[in-house]
Amino acid sequence: MAALVVVLAIVVALVLWAVGIYNGLVTLRNRGDGAWADIDVQLRRRHDLVPNLVETVKGYAAHERGTLEDVVKARQQAVSASAGTPEERARAENQLSGMLRSLFALSERYPQLRASDNFLGLQTSLQQIEEALQNARRYYNAVVRDFNTKTDVFPGSLLAAQFGFTKRQYFEIEAEARAVP
């Protein structure tokens, strides 16, 4: 009888242990989904700002058509990549960041553009969005790190594989894209 109680206690302990690991994985997965949604919101805000920025610059630097078209094209690619993986989105966003830097470089050649309140307001808004995006990206990557660690280490790896939890991708940016445009 005592052996049955010991076996039963061990089984209950194993079930509770498995439930704890499973719930931890689900919690981290949900936090990752929420963090990704935060990144998505900031990227959409950024995408929505770009047409206004292009129109403002167009008024002062109309003959810089190639740069403006490149910015619009990069924005369209970034919007199109919104259904992709973090790696695909990061690649598209890095391209957009590079184009935005070239757009802001135009302001160096056009002092009247730098003096425009509308341009300065848009530039400030973009800087705020970039800071919020950086914070959202940092939190997402921290959650992904924790999730991936939990799915990799023993004994969590056994349950993660059993229940179909797979590693997530980080949302990484290229070194040159790290500077705020």
Side-chain angles (χ1 to χ4, degrees):
M1 183 70 168
L4 182 63
V5 171
V6 171
V7 171
L8 188 59
I10 291 172
V11 169
V12 168
L14 286 174
V15 168
L16 290 175
W17 166 81
V19 167
I21 290 177
Y22 177 82
N23 287 342
L25 288 167
V26 169
T27 298
L28 288 172
R29 182 185 63 198
N30 290 342
R31 283 185 190 164
D33 291 344
W36 185 252
D38 290 344
I39 289 174
D40 193 49
V41 166
Q42 298 307 322
L43 291 175
R44 288 178 196 270
R45 287 181 60 207
R46 180 186 198 200
H47 298 163
D48 292 344
L49 186 67
V50 170
N52 295 334
L53 195 55
V54 168
E55 285 303 314
T56 300
V57 172
K58 199 182 287 185
Y60 291 93
H63 61 284
E64 300 282 356
R65 184 173 223 63
T67 301
L68 298 174
E69 288 173 356
D70 289 345
V71 171
V72 170
K73 183 179 174 185
R75 177 197 179 263
Q76 289 169 341
Q77 289 174 343
V79 170
S80 297
S82 64
T85 65
E87 185 179 359
E88 293 165 345
R89 289 197 71 183
R91 196 173 16 256
E93 292 301 329
N94 288 337
Q95 188 175 14
L96 178 58
S97 291
M99 290 297 106
L100 287 172
R101 270 193 297 287
S102 67
L103 184 67
F104 282 113
L106 289 178
S107 69
E108 300 299 320
R109 288 186 270 180
Y110 300 95
Q112 69 276 22
L113 177 60
R114 277 185 289 163
S116 165
D117 288 338
N118 193 26
F119 180 77
L120 292 175
L122 291 169
Q123 189 174 24
T124 300
S125 294
L126 184 61
Q127 287 171 339
Q128 291 169 345
I129 290 169
E130 291 294 333
E131 287 173 16
L133 181 58
Q134 179 183 10
N135 290 334
R137 186 180 303 131
R138 188 179 300 123
Y139 178 70
Y140 171 79
N141 285 338
V143 171
V144 167
R145 180 200 60 229
D146 294 346
F147 179 81
N148 288 348
T149 300
K150 195 159 191 157
T151 61
D152 282 346
V153 298
F154 182 82
S157 59
L158 299 175
L159 285 175
Q162 193 69 22
F163 288 106
F165 290 99
T166 56
K167 291 179 81 168
R168 290 185 165 220
Q169 294 177 335
Y170 291 101
F171 187 62
E172 299 177 311
I173 55 173
E174 297 169 4
E176 62 200 35
R178 292 184 194 274
V180 174

